[in-house]
Amino acid sequence: MEPRNLARARLNFAHLEGTNLIEAHLEEANLHGAHLQGAYLIGAHLEGALLWHADLEGVYMDNAYLQDANFHDAYLGSASLYGANLAGAFLRDARLPGANLSGANLEGAFLDYRTDIEASQLVNAVNPLKAHLGSEMRGELEALLAAEEKAGE
């Protein structure tokens, strides 16, 4: 089956819970307020997508292309973002408790003290300290990375 092409689609407030969107093309799509709990977006292209206030709890976004995507106030609790490219992504006010960001590229991503990364996994995350971080977020991220490193010893 060929990947779905939904680039620039208007899917705001759509109910897409558990949907299979593996390798889908959703570049610059409007997913504002969308319900994507448990959806499969593995390898999907969401470059520049708007995901403000989206519910992405338990979503599978492993190896997804999320460059410059806007996750303002999105909920990504227990989401899997293993190996995802979040370069330049806007994650201010996003909530990612328990999310798996192992191997994810965070270079140039925007995070601040309101970004909740409590209990998130950052093992082998690429350039997490090269993200745009507020001073409080930098301290929290450094502590989380140190704890993971110590746990791996």
Side-chain angles (χ1 to χ4, degrees), residues 73-125:
D73 200 32
Y75 184 73
L76 293 110
S78 300
S80 183
L81 295 144
Y82 179 87
N85 189 347
L86 289 152
F90 190 85
L91 293 160
R92 289 190 177 142
D93 291 318
R95 291 156 291 145
L96 297 102
N100 181 358
L101 293 158
S102 299
N105 180 7
L106 295 169
E107 186 168 354
F110 293 87
L111 297 92
D112 67 6
Y113 69 94
R114 295 176 305 244
T115 304
D116 178 6
I117 58 170
E118 184 180 345
S120 294
Q121 297 174 15
L122 290 160
V123 177
N124 299 320

Tab-separated table of all heavy atoms in Angstrom, residues 73-125:
chain	number	residue	atom	x	y	z
A	73	ASP	N	1.391	23.337	23.264
A	73	ASP	CA	0.343	22.849	24.159
A	73	ASP	C	-0.233	21.487	23.742
A	73	ASP	O	-1.355	21.142	24.083
A	73	ASP	CB	-0.770	23.890	24.303
A	73	ASP	CG	-1.602	23.655	25.553
A	73	ASP	OD1	-1.055	23.173	26.565
A	73	ASP	OD2	-2.824	23.916	25.520
A	74	ALA	N	0.558	20.710	23.009
A	74	ALA	CA	0.119	19.360	22.631
A	74	ALA	C	0.417	18.392	23.772
A	74	ALA	O	1.322	18.617	24.573
A	74	ALA	CB	0.832	18.905	21.364
A	75	TYR	N	-0.334	17.310	23.852
A	75	TYR	CA	-0.116	16.291	24.870
A	75	TYR	C	0.439	15.047	24.201
A	75	TYR	O	-0.207	14.454	23.333
A	75	TYR	CB	-1.406	15.955	25.615
A	75	TYR	CG	-1.161	14.967	26.726
A	75	TYR	CD1	-0.519	15.374	27.892
A	75	TYR	CD2	-1.521	13.641	26.600
A	75	TYR	CE1	-0.249	14.471	28.912
A	75	TYR	CE2	-1.266	12.730	27.608
A	75	TYR	CZ	-0.630	13.153	28.765
A	75	TYR	OH	-0.347	12.257	29.765
A	76	LEU	N	1.674	14.664	24.595
A	76	LEU	CA	2.347	13.502	24.026
A	76	LEU	C	2.737	12.510	25.118
A	76	LEU	O	3.790	11.888	25.069
A	76	LEU	CB	3.604	13.939	23.255
A	76	LEU	CG	3.344	14.765	21.998
A	76	LEU	CD1	3.779	16.193	22.180
A	76	LEU	CD2	4.042	14.159	20.815
A	77	GLY	N	1.888	12.350	26.118
A	77	GLY	CA	2.167	11.417	27.204
A	77	GLY	C	2.364	10.011	26.668
A	77	GLY	O	1.578	9.527	25.856
A	78	SER	N	3.456	9.365	27.092
A	78	SER	CA	3.795	7.992	26.704
A	78	SER	C	3.931	7.806	25.193
A	78	SER	O	3.838	6.691	24.689
A	78	SER	CB	2.777	6.995	27.255
A	78	SER	OG	2.751	7.078	28.667
A	79	ALA	N	4.170	8.888	24.465
A	79	ALA	CA	4.361	8.791	23.018
A	79	ALA	C	5.721	8.183	22.711
A	79	ALA	O	6.674	8.348	23.463
A	79	ALA	CB	4.254	10.175	22.379
A	80	SER	N	5.825	7.479	21.596
A	80	SER	CA	7.100	6.930	21.152
A	80	SER	C	7.604	7.767	19.987
A	80	SER	O	6.997	7.796	18.910
A	80	SER	CB	6.954	5.473	20.730
A	80	SER	OG	8.225	4.965	20.376
A	81	LEU	N	8.712	8.485	20.235
A	81	LEU	CA	9.339	9.339	19.226
A	81	LEU	C	10.769	8.861	18.972
A	81	LEU	O	11.662	9.646	18.685
A	81	LEU	CB	9.327	10.797	19.707
A	81	LEU	CG	7.934	11.396	19.843
A	81	LEU	CD1	7.851	12.346	21.014
A	81	LEU	CD2	7.546	12.092	18.564
A	82	TYR	N	10.971	7.553	19.091
A	82	TYR	CA	12.298	6.982	18.924
A	82	TYR	C	12.864	7.339	17.549
A	82	TYR	O	12.236	7.080	16.518
A	82	TYR	CB	12.231	5.455	19.076
A	82	TYR	CG	13.552	4.775	18.884
A	82	TYR	CD1	14.433	4.623	19.949
A	82	TYR	CD2	13.926	4.311	17.640
A	82	TYR	CE1	15.662	4.009	19.773
A	82	TYR	CE2	15.148	3.706	17.452
A	82	TYR	CZ	16.022	3.562	18.517
A	82	TYR	OH	17.236	2.966	18.333
A	83	GLY	N	14.041	7.984	17.547
A	83	GLY	CA	14.705	8.320	16.290
A	83	GLY	C	14.020	9.392	15.465
A	83	GLY	O	14.401	9.629	14.321
A	84	ALA	N	13.023	10.056	16.019
A	84	ALA	CA	12.302	11.097	15.271
A	84	ALA	C	13.188	12.322	15.064
A	84	ALA	O	14.045	12.629	15.887
A	84	ALA	CB	11.029	11.499	16.012
A	85	ASN	N	12.983	13.026	13.973
A	85	ASN	CA	13.723	14.254	13.707
A	85	ASN	C	12.859	15.438	14.115
A	85	ASN	O	11.909	15.787	13.421
A	85	ASN	CB	14.121	14.351	12.238
A	85	ASN	CG	15.081	15.500	11.986
A	85	ASN	OD1	15.272	16.370	12.829
A	85	ASN	ND2	15.693	15.497	10.819
A	86	LEU	N	13.192	16.017	15.273
A	86	LEU	CA	12.453	17.161	15.822
A	86	LEU	C	13.239	18.461	15.659
A	86	LEU	O	13.000	19.426	16.380
A	86	LEU	CB	12.160	16.918	17.302
A	86	LEU	CG	11.105	15.846	17.579
A	86	LEU	CD1	11.343	15.186	18.919
A	86	LEU	CD2	9.717	16.454	17.515
A	87	ALA	N	14.184	18.493	14.718
A	87	ALA	CA	14.994	19.695	14.515
A	87	ALA	C	14.083	20.890	14.224
A	87	ALA	O	13.240	20.836	13.334
A	87	ALA	CB	15.980	19.490	13.370
A	88	GLY	N	14.235	21.935	15.018
A	88	GLY	CA	13.457	23.151	14.817
A	88	GLY	C	12.004	23.057	15.246
A	88	GLY	O	11.243	23.997	15.071
A	89	ALA	N	11.596	21.937	15.822
A	89	ALA	CA	10.189	21.781	16.253
A	89	ALA	C	9.898	22.710	17.430
A	89	ALA	O	10.761	22.983	18.261
A	89	ALA	CB	9.903	20.341	16.641
A	90	PHE	N	8.683	23.188	17.515
A	90	PHE	CA	8.242	24.100	18.571
A	90	PHE	C	7.512	23.273	19.619
A	90	PHE	O	6.420	22.771	19.368
A	90	PHE	CB	7.315	25.157	17.971
A	90	PHE	CG	6.980	26.277	18.909
A	90	PHE	CD1	7.819	27.368	19.043
A	90	PHE	CD2	5.810	26.241	19.650
A	90	PHE	CE1	7.496	28.415	19.904
A	90	PHE	CE2	5.478	27.267	20.511
A	90	PHE	CZ	6.330	28.366	20.638
A	91	LEU	N	8.154	23.106	20.787
A	91	LEU	CA	7.600	22.260	21.848
A	91	LEU	C	7.283	23.053	23.110
A	91	LEU	O	7.138	22.470	24.177
A	91	LEU	CB	8.596	21.142	22.179
A	91	LEU	CG	8.814	20.125	21.061
A	91	LEU	CD1	10.113	19.378	21.237
A	91	LEU	CD2	7.650	19.166	21.001
A	92	ARG	N	7.161	24.363	22.998
A	92	ARG	CA	6.828	25.153	24.173
A	92	ARG	C	5.431	24.800	24.649
A	92	ARG	O	4.508	24.656	23.854
A	92	ARG	CB	6.936	26.644	23.866
A	92	ARG	CG	8.375	27.074	23.697
A	92	ARG	CD	8.522	28.566	23.634
A	92	ARG	NE	9.934	28.902	23.554
A	92	ARG	CZ	10.411	29.886	22.819
A	92	ARG	NH1	9.602	30.643	22.136
A	92	ARG	NH2	11.697	30.113	22.806
A	93	ASP	N	5.308	24.624	25.954
A	93	ASP	CA	4.043	24.252	26.599
A	93	ASP	C	3.584	22.837	26.257
A	93	ASP	O	2.517	22.418	26.678
A	93	ASP	CB	2.913	25.241	26.285
A	93	ASP	CG	3.122	26.590	26.925
A	93	ASP	OD1	3.533	26.631	28.093
A	93	ASP	OD2	2.876	27.601	26.252
A	94	ALA	N	4.375	22.092	25.485
A	94	ALA	CA	4.013	20.707	25.177
A	94	ALA	C	4.240	19.849	26.414
A	94	ALA	O	5.101	20.132	27.236
A	94	ALA	CB	4.838	20.185	24.011
A	95	ARG	N	3.433	18.802	26.537
A	95	ARG	CA	3.564	17.872	27.666
A	95	ARG	C	3.936	16.504	27.119
A	95	ARG	O	3.207	15.935	26.324
A	95	ARG	CB	2.255	17.839	28.449
A	95	ARG	CG	2.031	19.191	29.169
A	95	ARG	CD	0.592	19.487	29.474
A	95	ARG	NE	-0.114	19.741	28.204
A	95	ARG	CZ	-1.366	19.392	27.967
A	95	ARG	NH1	-2.084	18.810	28.884
A	95	ARG	NH2	-1.927	19.647	26.807
A	96	LEU	N	5.117	16.019	27.585
A	96	LEU	CA	5.654	14.758	27.097
A	96	LEU	C	5.989	13.804	28.242
A	96	LEU	O	7.012	13.131	28.208
A	96	LEU	CB	6.937	15.018	26.291
A	96	LEU	CG	6.805	15.844	25.026
A	96	LEU	CD1	7.269	17.261	25.233
A	96	LEU	CD2	7.575	15.203	23.909
A	97	PRO	N	5.158	13.697	29.278
A	97	PRO	CA	5.523	12.817	30.390
A	97	PRO	C	5.605	11.362	29.932
A	97	PRO	O	4.699	10.850	29.292
A	97	PRO	CB	4.392	13.018	31.401
A	97	PRO	CG	3.220	13.429	30.570
A	97	PRO	CD	3.805	14.252	29.443
A	98	GLY	N	6.751	10.746	30.226
A	98	GLY	CA	6.931	9.342	29.872
A	98	GLY	C	7.159	9.081	28.397
A	98	GLY	O	7.156	7.935	27.970
A	99	ALA	N	7.385	10.121	27.601
A	99	ALA	CA	7.614	9.930	26.167
A	99	ALA	C	8.995	9.333	25.923
A	99	ALA	O	9.933	9.579	26.673
A	99	ALA	CB	7.492	11.257	25.425
A	100	ASN	N	9.122	8.547	24.869
A	100	ASN	CA	10.405	7.968	24.491
A	100	ASN	C	11.008	8.819	23.380
A	100	ASN	O	10.538	8.803	22.255
A	100	ASN	CB	10.227	6.526	24.015
A	100	ASN	CG	11.545	5.886	23.638
A	100	ASN	OD1	12.598	6.499	23.694
A	100	ASN	ND2	11.478	4.627	23.239
A	101	LEU	N	12.052	9.570	23.744
A	101	LEU	CA	12.763	10.416	22.788
A	101	LEU	C	14.151	9.855	22.510
A	101	LEU	O	15.041	10.569	22.051
A	101	LEU	CB	12.872	11.841	23.347
A	101	LEU	CG	11.542	12.586	23.473
A	101	LEU	CD1	11.638	13.714	24.478
A	101	LEU	CD2	11.089	13.103	22.123
A	102	SER	N	14.344	8.575	22.763
A	102	SER	CA	15.645	7.939	22.535
A	102	SER	C	16.027	8.071	21.065
A	102	SER	O	15.237	7.759	20.176
A	102	SER	CB	15.596	6.463	22.912
A	102	SER	OG	15.290	6.315	24.275
A	103	GLY	N	17.243	8.551	20.836
A	103	GLY	CA	17.737	8.686	19.479
A	103	GLY	C	17.116	9.810	18.675
A	103	GLY	O	17.428	9.984	17.503
A	104	ALA	N	16.218	10.588	19.285
A	104	ALA	CA	15.562	11.688	18.561
A	104	ALA	C	16.525	12.858	18.373
A	104	ALA	O	17.377	13.118	19.220
A	104	ALA	CB	14.326	12.162	19.321
A	105	ASN	N	16.394	13.560	17.265
A	105	ASN	CA	17.203	14.753	17.000
A	105	ASN	C	16.443	15.970	17.521
A	105	ASN	O	15.379	16.305	17.018
A	105	ASN	CB	17.475	14.891	15.510
A	105	ASN	CG	18.311	16.118	15.189
A	105	ASN	OD1	18.801	16.819	16.081
A	105	ASN	ND2	18.490	16.388	13.909
A	106	LEU	N	17.014	16.625	18.539
A	106	LEU	CA	16.380	17.796	19.149
A	106	LEU	C	17.118	19.089	18.820
A	106	LEU	O	16.809	20.139	19.379
A	106	LEU	CB	16.313	17.620	20.667
A	106	LEU	CG	15.426	16.475	21.141
A	106	LEU	CD1	15.642	16.204	22.616
A	106	LEU	CD2	13.969	16.787	20.870
A	107	GLU	N	18.085	19.026	17.911
A	107	GLU	CA	18.858	20.227	17.600
A	107	GLU	C	17.948	21.325	17.046
A	107	GLU	O	17.184	21.109	16.107
A	107	GLU	CB	19.963	19.927	16.593
A	107	GLU	CG	20.872	21.117	16.373
A	107	GLU	CD	22.147	20.777	15.617
A	107	GLU	OE1	22.400	19.589	15.347
A	107	GLU	OE2	22.873	21.715	15.308
A	108	GLY	N	18.021	22.493	17.678
A	108	GLY	CA	17.232	23.639	17.224
A	108	GLY	C	15.776	23.597	17.631
A	108	GLY	O	15.015	24.503	17.301
A	109	ALA	N	15.349	22.549	18.366
A	109	ALA	CA	13.955	22.501	18.842
A	109	ALA	C	13.762	23.567	19.918
A	109	ALA	O	14.714	23.961	20.593
A	109	ALA	CB	13.646	21.120	19.404
A	110	PHE	N	12.556	24.059	20.061
A	110	PHE	CA	12.242	25.098	21.039
A	110	PHE	C	11.527	24.470	22.228
A	110	PHE	O	10.410	23.983	22.103
A	110	PHE	CB	11.348	26.172	20.405
A	110	PHE	CG	12.032	26.970	19.345
A	110	PHE	CD1	12.049	26.518	18.044
A	110	PHE	CD2	12.676	28.157	19.656
A	110	PHE	CE1	12.697	27.241	17.047
A	110	PHE	CE2	13.328	28.884	18.675
A	110	PHE	CZ	13.344	28.430	17.363
A	111	LEU	N	12.199	24.500	23.399
A	111	LEU	CA	11.626	23.995	24.649
A	111	LEU	C	11.820	25.082	25.699
A	111	LEU	O	12.814	25.790	25.666
A	111	LEU	CB	12.361	22.736	25.121
A	111	LEU	CG	12.312	21.503	24.230
A	111	LEU	CD1	13.480	21.460	23.282
A	111	LEU	CD2	12.317	20.269	25.088
A	112	ASP	N	10.905	25.206	26.624
A	112	ASP	CA	11.100	26.140	27.724
A	112	ASP	C	10.616	25.506	29.016
A	112	ASP	O	10.262	24.337	29.050
A	112	ASP	CB	10.436	27.492	27.460
A	112	ASP	CG	8.919	27.438	27.420
A	112	ASP	OD1	8.334	26.380	27.711
A	112	ASP	OD2	8.312	28.467	27.100
A	113	TYR	N	10.634	26.274	30.092
A	113	TYR	CA	10.300	25.721	31.408
A	113	TYR	C	8.879	25.163	31.467
A	113	TYR	O	8.552	24.379	32.333
A	113	TYR	CB	10.509	26.774	32.506
A	113	TYR	CG	9.522	27.913	32.475
A	113	TYR	CD1	8.368	27.874	33.248
A	113	TYR	CD2	9.739	29.023	31.671
A	113	TYR	CE1	7.457	28.907	33.217
A	113	TYR	CE2	8.835	30.065	31.640
A	113	TYR	CZ	7.698	30.006	32.411
A	113	TYR	OH	6.791	31.034	32.368
A	114	ARG	N	8.019	25.518	30.540
A	114	ARG	CA	6.653	24.998	30.542
A	114	ARG	C	6.543	23.680	29.769
A	114	ARG	O	5.498	23.052	29.760
A	114	ARG	CB	5.707	26.041	29.960
A	114	ARG	CG	5.614	27.303	30.806
A	114	ARG	CD	4.739	28.345	30.151
A	114	ARG	NE	5.197	28.650	28.803
A	114	ARG	CZ	5.660	29.834	28.413
A	114	ARG	NH1	5.717	30.837	29.248
A	114	ARG	NH2	6.048	30.026	27.173
A	115	THR	N	7.629	23.280	29.097
A	115	THR	CA	7.637	21.996	28.402
A	115	THR	C	7.850	20.909	29.440
A	115	THR	O	8.821	20.926	30.168
A	115	THR	CB	8.770	21.953	27.354
A	115	THR	OG1	8.636	23.051	26.461
A	115	THR	CG2	8.736	20.648	26.573
A	116	ASP	N	6.922	19.976	29.517
A	116	ASP	CA	6.976	18.918	30.527
A	116	ASP	C	7.619	17.672	29.927
A	116	ASP	O	7.035	17.009	29.074
A	116	ASP	CB	5.558	18.601	31.006
A	116	ASP	CG	5.502	17.468	32.018
A	116	ASP	OD1	6.565	16.987	32.451
A	116	ASP	OD2	4.387	17.068	32.371
A	117	ILE	N	8.845	17.382	30.378
A	117	ILE	CA	9.539	16.180	29.910
A	117	ILE	C	9.768	15.201	31.058
A	117	ILE	O	10.615	14.320	30.970
A	117	ILE	CB	10.877	16.529	29.224
A	117	ILE	CG1	11.793	17.301	30.173
A	117	ILE	CG2	10.648	17.253	27.924
A	117	ILE	CD1	13.201	17.472	29.661
A	118	GLU	N	8.992	15.332	32.121
A	118	GLU	CA	9.144	14.471	33.291
A	118	GLU	C	9.057	13.003	32.900
A	118	GLU	O	8.144	12.580	32.187
A	118	GLU	CB	8.060	14.792	34.317
A	118	GLU	CG	8.199	14.004	35.595
A	118	GLU	CD	7.105	14.353	36.588
A	118	GLU	OE1	6.432	15.380	36.417
A	118	GLU	OE2	6.932	13.570	37.513
A	119	ALA	N	10.043	12.252	33.361
A	119	ALA	CA	10.120	10.804	33.144
A	119	ALA	C	10.250	10.430	31.665
A	119	ALA	O	10.056	9.280	31.297
A	119	ALA	CB	8.927	10.082	33.768
A	120	SER	N	10.599	11.390	30.809
A	120	SER	CA	10.819	11.065	29.403
A	120	SER	C	12.174	10.394	29.240
A	120	SER	O	13.098	10.646	29.996
A	120	SER	CB	10.774	12.330	28.542
A	120	SER	OG	9.483	12.878	28.542
A	121	GLN	N	12.283	9.543	28.246
A	121	GLN	CA	13.545	8.865	27.950
A	121	GLN	C	14.278	9.631	26.863
A	121	GLN	O	13.720	9.886	25.801
A	121	GLN	CB	13.282	7.446	27.473
A	121	GLN	CG	12.631	6.562	28.495
A	121	GLN	CD	12.274	5.211	27.896
A	121	GLN	OE1	12.746	4.843	26.839
A	121	GLN	NE2	11.414	4.486	28.585
A	122	LEU	N	15.543	9.977	27.154
A	122	LEU	CA	16.348	10.729	26.197
A	122	LEU	C	17.648	9.991	25.850
A	122	LEU	O	18.605	10.602	25.403
A	122	LEU	CB	16.681	12.110	26.770
A	122	LEU	CG	15.501	13.063	26.869
A	122	LEU	CD1	15.780	14.171	27.866
A	122	LEU	CD2	15.189	13.657	25.511
A	123	VAL	N	17.682	8.680	26.060
A	123	VAL	CA	18.883	7.906	25.806
A	123	VAL	C	19.333	8.110	24.357
A	123	VAL	O	18.562	7.931	23.424
A	123	VAL	CB	18.641	6.399	26.074
A	123	VAL	CG1	19.880	5.584	25.734
A	123	VAL	CG2	18.234	6.187	27.516
A	124	ASN	N	20.571	8.511	24.198
A	124	ASN	CA	21.163	8.729	22.874
A	124	ASN	C	20.419	9.750	22.023
A	124	ASN	O	20.495	9.703	20.798
A	124	ASN	CB	21.297	7.403	22.108
A	124	ASN	CG	22.195	6.419	22.806
A	124	ASN	OD1	23.229	6.790	23.353
A	124	ASN	ND2	21.803	5.158	22.825
A	125	ALA	N	19.678	10.655	22.660
A	125	ALA	CA	19.053	11.734	21.887
A	125	ALA	C	20.164	12.537	21.220
A	125	ALA	O	21.246	12.727	21.784
A	125	ALA	CB	18.211	12.630	22.792
